[in-house]
Structure formats: C-alpha cells, structure tokens
Amino acid sequence: EVQLLESGGGLAQPGGSLRLSCEASGFTFSRYAMNWVRQAPGKGLEWVSGIAGGGSSTYYGDSVKGRFTISRDNSKNTVHLQMDSLSAEDTALYYCAKDVRFEARGAFDMWGQGTMVTVSS
Amino acid sequence: EIMLTQSPATLSLSPGERATLSCRASQSVSSYLAWYQQKPGQAPRLLIYDASNRATGIPARFSGGGSGTDFTLTISSLEPEDFAVYYCQQRKSWPLTFGGGTKVEMK
C-alpha cells in the first residue's frame, strides 16, 4: 500500500524557518518525482515545489522561490521542504504528493494527509 | 503563469443528476490537464489525468474531455459520495497551477 507520511509542521515566527519531511512507502521511491502542495485554511490548492526522481531537477512556485528548498534522500525514501523567511501567507496545510512521472511536471496520484504550518507571532 | 478558471463556483444538484464542471485555461495547455476531488478533511484524490484518462480505481461515471483551453469534467449520475470540491490542474508549464475549485453540493 502506498503511503506518504508528512511531519515537521507547527508554529513558526514570521521570518523563521521550518523543515518539513515526507516519508514514503509502498512504491519504488526513486522512480517518481515528488511534490509539495499547500492549502491555506478554507482556500484552494497551491502547488509549491517539485523534485525529479533522481533529485537533480527542482522546481518552485513563484511565491516561494528563493525562500524554500526541496530535497530528497532516495536511500531513506524521504523528501524534505526547507522553508525560510516564513510569513503569515505561508500558513497552510502542506501536502506531500507523488508524481506519476520521473521527471516531474505530472499529475499527483497519491497524497499524504498533510502537516499544518502556522506562521504567527 | 497559466491561470485556470473553474465554473461554476458552486453546483447544486440531486443524486442521480448529471454534473458538468468547466475549467478554462488562460493559454493552451494541450491535453495536460488533471482533475482532483477533495472531500472535507481529506487529501485530494486524482480522478482524471491528461484531460480524459481515468486514474486507477476511478468509477466510469467520471469522464473528462477537452483540449487546448477548454475542459470539462462530467459525472454522469451523481452518487452521494460525489458531493465534494473538484479542482483542475495544468502540467503544461511551470509553475504548475490549480483552478479555484467547483463545489458540488446536494440540492
């Protein structure tokens, strides 16, 4: 059974940092790109970042470019999202989502349950 | 950035009725469009990818169509479990973008 388990969410101060993690199981992790998608309370979905299966190619949404960094460890079936310079606009439920492709830029066929990030003083 | 506009924002229908949801792109996305369903308190679920291909395990009452800038998701006969919010998403170019969603509610 494919599972994605996010962790690392919580309360952060404006200007602060958090590191999210997503541990995958049930599929050959290195064969697929992985993504982060967020959803602010009561709002729609926003794609945040993606990383190709090999980890060499990374992609970011305009609102997080230069502040967030995605990475993966294929030996540990884990993808991370380092979030710096956080602002209130980053408050959201962050989902880890498996891509249908190796090279990213695909659809997302499996999702975790999300980890909540709240940015507030 | 490619903008996706979904309409209507809310669709009020009864079980057994046909639902037709629209997604319009600000520029051509070819057939690189997906549809997702999200129920309250749950993660989204992939329904359709590349405009018309049903994802694994998705019932045949869900179908997708369109290409270029205009797409539709059709639910041929609504089941009680289909009342949810539906999002479209394009993968033609970076950044990947989602539409604002259509809520299908019970009349």
Side-chain angles (χ1 to χ4, degrees), chain A residues 39 59 95 105-106 108 111-112, chain B residues 36 38 43-44 91-92 94:
Chain A
Q39 187 168 34
Y59 309 91
Y95 291 105
R105 205 166 69 88
F108 312 138
W111 299 63
Chain B
Y36 300 85
Q38 187 178 33
R91 69 174 191 89
K92 176 67 165 64
W94 303 106

Side-chain angles (χ1 to χ4, degrees), chain A:
Chain A
E1 181 190 4
V2 173
Q3 282 195 326
L4 299 172
L5 185 61
E6 302 97 335
S7 61
L11 179 64
Q13 301 260 353
S17 299
L18 277 177
R19 188 185 194 222
L20 306 185
S21 297
C22 171
E23 185 172 356
S25 60
F27 64 100
T28 305
F29 183 71
S30 60
R31 290 186 181 176
Y32 298 96
M34 296 296 294
N35 296 269
W36 290 94
V37 177
R38 69 185 181 184
Q39 187 168 34
K43 302 297 185 182
L45 302 171
E46 180 188 10
W47 174 79
V48 172
S49 183
I51 184 167
S56 58
S57 299
T58 58
Y59 309 91
Y60 299 94
D62 291 343
S63 63
V64 307
K65 201 173 294 183
R67 300 188 300 122
F68 289 11
T69 304
I70 191 171
S71 61
R72 67 189 294 160
D73 184 341
N74 285 346
S75 69
K76 296 182 180 178
N77 289 359
T78 303
V79 59
H80 304 284
L81 186 69
Q82 176 67 40
M83 305 188 298
D84 299 321
S85 302
L86 287 164
S87 70
E89 288 69 38
D90 297 315
T91 294
L93 184 64
Y94 284 73
Y95 291 105
C96 172
K98 172 187 168 291
D99 206 296
V100 298
R101 292 157 45 101
F102 173 83
E103 278 297 338
R105 205 166 69 88
F108 312 138
D109 63 343
M110 290 301 303
W111 299 63
Q113 285 305 303
T115 187
M116 187 67 201
V117 171
T118 303
V119 182
S120 175
S121 56

